[in-house]
């Protein structure tokens, strides 16, 4: 296993993702887990993600909608991808969904990122962020890989009462409950939380 630390903006996590998605060696699965997700960011990554899916990767995204960080427009866009998408939400206000996990897995290796970076332009390109990159080679690192993934399995393979598979009826239910913002409102919410101009 090789472990490195990425400090943004010196090293942009979005650039790392673009390079991995451009690989001509196919993935078996790609999993993104993010508390906040921005429309502009998923549109940047859409071509690479869908190309990986077309090449045989099982692509899964799990996104949070707490604190107005992910908009209805994001969910509508992701619902058109034809990939597995889950929405995490606990109605208890103090229980905020906040992990950021990104996994690129192949038969012979896997790259995992754990850090502070949301799936937003700020989180992947412009904010001050930190993430750890783990590169595993198989079969040598299989045991260490399993040890590291075990505590985060509930995010990688979501199930239970606080997570739902994304579909059109879910979007309508969440909208009716007032749990979804517009993309403009979500950008404002993300900006207000960090006290800076909108960058994502």
């Amino acid at each position: 296993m090789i472990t490195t630390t990425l400090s943004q903006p010196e090293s942009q996590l979005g650039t790392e993702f673009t390079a991995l998605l451009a690989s001509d060696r196919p993935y078996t699965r790609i999993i993104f887990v993010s508390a906040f997700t921005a429309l502009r960011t998923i549109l940047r990554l859409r071509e690479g993600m869908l190309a990986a899916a077309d090449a045989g990767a099982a692509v899964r995204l799990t996104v949070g909608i707490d604190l107005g960080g992910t908009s209805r427009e994001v969910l509508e866009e992701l619902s058109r991808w034809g990939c597995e998408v889950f929405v995490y939400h606990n109605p208890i206000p103090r229980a905020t969904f906040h992990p950021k996990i990104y996994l690129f897995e192949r038969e012979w290796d896997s790259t995992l990122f754990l850090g502070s970076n949301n799936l937003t332009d700020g989180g992947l390109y412009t904010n001050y962020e930190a993430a750890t990159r783990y590169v595993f080679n198989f079969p040598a690192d299989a045991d260490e890989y399993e040890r590291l993934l075990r505590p985060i399995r509930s995010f990688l393979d979501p199930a239970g009462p606080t997570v739902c598979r994304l579909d059109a009826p879910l979007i309508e239910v969440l909208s009716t409950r007032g749990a979804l913002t517009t993309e403009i409102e979500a950008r404002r919410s993300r900006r207000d939380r960090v006290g800076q101009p909108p960058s994502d």
Side-chain angles (χ1 to χ4, degrees), residues 31-181:
I31 300 177
F32 281 12
V33 179
S34 180
F36 309 142
T37 303
L39 182 61
R40 185 163 48 194
T41 310
I42 60 170
L43 292 176
R44 277 194 191 207
L45 297 172
R46 178 176 59 190
E47 183 178 352
M49 296 283 278
L50 295 184
D54 288 343
V59 175
R60 175 184 297 157
L61 296 96
T62 299
V63 301
I65 59 170
D66 296 332
L67 305 177
T70 299
S71 69
R72 177 183 178 123
E73 290 95 322
V74 166
L75 298 187
E76 289 173 338
E77 171 63 27
L78 292 176
S79 72
R80 293 190 285 268
W81 284 20
C83 304
E84 274 194 314
V85 182
F86 293 91
V87 177
Y88 233 107
H89 176 60
N90 189 324
I92 300 173
R94 67 180 180 275
T96 303
F97 182 73
H98 212 245
K100 298 92 176 177
I101 306 166
Y102 306 100
L103 177 69
F104 297 80
E105 186 178 87
R106 292 186 280 217
E107 182 180 350
W108 51 84
D109 66 18
S110 183
T111 303
L112 171 70
F113 298 91
L114 299 173
S116 64
N117 313 69
N118 278 302
L119 193 54
T120 64
D121 275 14
L124 298 191
Y125 300 99
T126 60
N127 289 350
Y128 291 89
E129 308 275 1
T132 301
R133 176 179 52 208
Y134 303 87
V135 178
F136 304 87
N137 290 290
F138 305 131
D141 296 329
D143 289 345
E144 185 67 9
Y145 186 56
E146 177 57 30
R147 183 193 68 79
L148 206 101
L149 291 191
R150 192 175 300 119
I152 57 174
R153 285 284 181 199
S154 63
F155 300 131
L156 300 176
D157 302 308
T162 56
V163 64
C164 293
R165 188 182 294 270
L166 178 64
D167 57 21
L170 176 64
I171 294 173
E172 292 308 317
V173 167
L174 293 172
S175 293
T176 300
R177 291 179 181 172
L180 292 180
T181 61

Side-chain angles (χ1 to χ4, degrees), residues 179-198:
L180 292 180
T181 61
T182 66
E183 184 64 16
I184 291 173
E185 291 167 338
R187 290 189 68 204
R188 185 179 300 122
S189 176
R190 293 190 295 266
R191 175 202 64 199
D192 291 346
R193 275 193 305 279
V194 297
Q196 63 183 27

